[in-house]
């Protein structure tokens, strides 16, 4: 479903992504691990088309999307739950959710699908509250629900556990597991929280200074080779 070949990116003179390759199939969860500043968010922004790439190719469902605009990628079925959530603080929960639906033409006026409230019941109770009034964990749930309302085939999570209290981390883990078990989506999960990623991933890659330094299946994930690149 997603195939990334030899991606390179620069911020000015800084070579931020160095020949990154990865692949991800429908129904799989790929964990992208690495410490602060190794290039995880940069990679997701390149895959979302928010940042241009200097070289390499990105294929989605066998279509070359390397030069496709972000809104075209969203419409094609790629959703992004950004680091720090980036919900609209002054809009209500309902309006934030409708932003996710607006990706598909003609959809913005229809009813919000009830299944997102089954996943995140708290959002139903808070529909008319402003996004900015929600706790960090609730905002993260809102950001995930907003992404799901675009009906993605491929979803990127950028450190969904960052700054979130343990009880809500459990809720988020349950939802990502459910999405994975449904089998109709591919999931790319950026994390520094190893146990969370380990609980969900079918396979992993580790980035260090913009380079893939380790990769493998779930069974190899708990090895010293991986932990060495995560410990501070
Ligand atoms: N807009 C930018 N301009 C210049 N350099 C940047 C910019 N954004 C990030 N960087 C640098 O690029 C490198 C990779 O950053 P990136 O945000 O992708 O890392 P990350 O793995 O997501 O880190 P974190 O875990 O802290 O979110 C870092 O050295 C960072 O300082
Ligand atoms: Mg980041």
């Amino acid at each position: 479903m997603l195939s990334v070949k030899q991606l390179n990116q620069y911020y000015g003179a800084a070579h931020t992504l160095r020949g990154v390759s990865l692949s991800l199939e429908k129904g799989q969860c790929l964990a992208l691990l690495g410490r602060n500043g190794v290039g995880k968010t940069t990679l997701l922004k390149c895959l979302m088309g928010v940042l241009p790439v200097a070289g390499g190719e990105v294929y989605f469902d066998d279509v070359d999307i390397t030069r496709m605009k972000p809104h075209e990628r969203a419409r094609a079925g790629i959703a992004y739950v950004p680091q720090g959530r980036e919900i609209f603080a002054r809009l209500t929960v309902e309006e934030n959710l409708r932003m996710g639906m607006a990706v598909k033409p003609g959809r913005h006026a229809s009813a919000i699908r009830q299944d997102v409230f089954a996943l995140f019941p708290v959002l139903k109770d808070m529909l008319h509250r402003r996004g900015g009034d929600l706790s960090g964990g609730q905002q993260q749930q809102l950001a995930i629900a907003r992404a799901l309302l675009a009906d993605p085939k491929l979803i990127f999570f950028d450190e969904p556990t960052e700054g979130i209290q343990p009880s809500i981390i459990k809720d988020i883990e349950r939802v990502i597991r459910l999405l994975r078990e449904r089998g109709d989506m591919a999931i790319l999960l950026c994390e520094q929280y190893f146990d969370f990623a380990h609980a969900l991933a079918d396979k992993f890659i580790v980035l260090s200074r913009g380079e893939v330094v380790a990769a493998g299946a779930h069974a190899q994930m708990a090895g010293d080779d991986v932990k060495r690149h995560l410990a501070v």
Side-chain angles (χ1 to χ4, degrees), residues 21-217:
S21 297
L22 62 88
S23 72
L24 177 57
E25 300 302 325
K26 186 164 139 178
Q28 275 187 336
C29 175
L30 169 68
L32 171 59
L33 305 168
R35 287 183 197 136
N36 285 325
V38 297
K40 302 181 297 296
T41 299
T42 301
L43 175 60
L44 291 191
K45 285 185 175 169
C46 288
L47 298 182
M48 217 41 230
V50 180
L51 282 176
V53 297
E57 290 157 7
V58 182
Y59 290 86
F60 175 56
D61 272 346
D62 297 323
V63 177
D64 185 347
I65 63 162
T66 317
R67 312 271 163 236
M68 210 185 245
K69 300 230 159 44
H71 70 274
E72 294 169 332
R73 298 187 201 214
R75 196 169 295 170
I78 307 180
Y80 179 35
V81 182
Q83 186 166 19
R85 286 106 43 192
E86 294 183 20
I87 59 139
F88 300 97
R90 298 178 67 87
L91 299 185
T92 64
V93 167
E94 178 171 6
E95 288 163 342
N96 271 279
L97 292 172
R98 289 196 179 281
M99 287 291 181
M101 294 163 67
V103 162
K104 298 267 164 94
R107 275 274 303 280
H108 60 282
S110 51
I112 296 174
R113 275 194 349 245
Q114 291 297 307
D115 57 325
V116 300
F117 299 124
L119 294 177
F120 301 114
V122 67
L123 297 180
K124 188 158 196 172
D125 301 333
M126 303 190 88
L127 263 186
H128 304 296
R129 301 280 287 278
R130 282 188 185 199
D133 293 339
L134 273 56
S135 72
Q138 291 164 343
Q139 291 185 359
Q140 187 63 267
Q141 292 173 305
L142 175 56
I144 296 171
R146 179 179 63 183
L148 292 177
L149 283 170
D151 294 328
K153 293 193 264 183
L154 169 64
I155 187 163
F156 302 143
F157 291 96
D158 197 350
E159 301 203 39
T161 67
E162 194 180 31
I164 307 292
Q165 66 189 71
S167 66
I168 297 188
I169 290 180
K170 280 285 160 207
D171 287 339
I172 292 172
E173 182 179 325
R174 186 176 45 78
V175 167
I176 297 178
R177 174 166 295 112
L178 208 88
L179 297 175
R180 178 174 153 264
E181 284 169 358
R182 238 166 50 187
D184 56 359
M185 215 181 264
I187 300 167
L188 205 172
L189 172 63
C190 280
E191 262 303 337
Q192 294 196 53
Y193 179 11
F194 178 82
D195 292 344
F196 182 84
H198 187 248
L200 291 166
D202 298 288
K203 56 183 195 171
F204 69 93
I205 65 172
V206 184
L207 278 187
S208 178
R209 294 187 193 167
E211 223 171 339
V212 178
V213 290

